[in-house]
Amino acid sequence: MELGHFYPEDFRDQGVTLSRQFRRIAPWAERSRLASLAGLELDSPRIATCLLVDDYSEQEAMPPPATVVPELLAAAAASSLTIDYIARESACAENGVTPLAQMIETMLVPDPSYGTNGARPPVHESGWLCNGSRSSGTVGTPAMGKPQIWRPPTENASRRHSIFLDVELRSEYLQAETRWSCSFLAAVWQLLRLGLVRARGESVVQPVPVDPVDLPERWSEFPAIGQMRRQAPPFCAYRTFSILDTAYLPVEHAVRVILGQLGIDQAASVSSIRRAANEGVVLPAAPADRVSYLFLGL
């Protein structure tokens, strides 16, 4: 269960924003309710809580772990919530050992739409991924030629009507540094939570125990995933559930498009399905279908 994404501005009002977020989501953290949402018929489901801190988009603006972590733990405890894991978003781009985002990008297997002719650059060159065909344009019409007939965008595998989405995965920051989009890093985050990110058959990120009274002053010194409780259930899950503000809905739509066009490590996926079945949990084959959300308005 993801308790939220947190940005630098969330720590500028002495915990008011944090307290409000945890108060709103606390009723949804009841174990039987979560089991029902996940479609589980288990007496004692294993449920771990986590959250993501954005130390990536505005690195200098985010207060240090020594400030942020105690505030998060205190605000959650005030609403009778426990935080098992705290992850930093920069680790979804690169965790110091493995360039995660770049590795996941190589796993993309774009779904070509009907009539694709190669005019659009490949996703690995353009940094854009879509779920269908763009609308036609007028660029390239020969002089004195017939005007092109406008065609609407279409979604691959649409249901009667299309919902077309074109997702930016990355950009070149100041022509020198690759900056990964929030949508793409959120997709990496979901894959980490599902235990589907492997390199040479091994997990690339493991939670590291963190002492809440001995915290670093820099996020680069904080683990990619910090384990805040010794007795925390396993981080990787059969299913994920995120409670987010409605502002994240477009981002998570993009996440589902990305997950639907990834060549996931089949050994990891099949292993999860088999282990879940042994515990009476039925998992969908598609990773995107193992992800659930609750979006709350302001």
Side-chain angles (χ1 to χ4, degrees), residues 49-104:
T49 59
C50 63
L51 56 83
L52 192 65
V53 174
D54 180 16
D55 67 324
Y56 182 77
S57 60
E58 299 180 65
Q59 297 179 12
E60 301 302 322
M62 177 60 73
T67 299
V68 167
V69 172
E71 287 190 12
L72 286 168
L73 295 177
S79 292
S80 301
L81 293 171
T82 56
I83 300 175
D84 294 320
Y85 300 96
I86 294 178
R88 53 184 177 88
E89 190 169 16
S90 61
C92 294
E94 184 172 0
N95 70 351
V97 178
T98 306
L100 283 180
Q102 184 178 349
M103 184 179 78
I104 299 301

Side-chain angles (χ1 to χ4, degrees), residues 203-259:
S203 298
V204 297
V205 178
Q206 295 287 350
V208 176
V210 171
D211 185 350
V213 300
D214 184 20
L215 296 164
E217 288 295 329
R218 292 186 295 182
W219 282 103
S220 59
E221 299 171 355
F222 191 85
I225 303 171
Q227 182 174 333
M228 310 310 301
R229 292 198 310 128
R230 186 185 299 272
Q231 303 83 9
F235 172 75
C236 294
Y238 294 139
R239 293 177 178 270
T240 67
F241 177 60
S242 300
I243 303 181
L244 301 170
D245 189 271
T246 51
Y248 291 97
L249 201 156
V251 170
E252 298 303 330
H253 180 194
V255 166
R256 292 185 60 84
V257 170
I258 295 168
L259 294 181

Side-chain angles (χ1 to χ4, degrees), residues 183-197:
S183 299
F184 195 66
L185 294 181
V188 176
W189 171 234
Q190 289 286 2
L191 291 173
L192 288 173
R193 293 169 64 194
L194 291 170
L196 296 178
V197 181

Side-chain angles (χ1 to χ4, degrees), residues 3-26 51-53 62-63 67-79 81 83 86:
L3 304 178
H5 293 184
F6 295 91
Y7 290 85
E9 55 267 28
D10 296 326
F11 300 94
R12 295 173 183 167
D13 55 8
Q14 290 73 51
V16 174
T17 296
L18 303 182
S19 297
R20 178 175 181 270
Q21 166 70 1
F22 292 129
R23 280 198 308 270
R24 296 171 74 208
I25 68 177
L51 56 83
L52 192 65
V53 174
M62 177 60 73
T67 299
V68 167
V69 172
E71 287 190 12
L72 286 168
L73 295 177
S79 292
L81 293 171
I83 300 175
I86 294 178

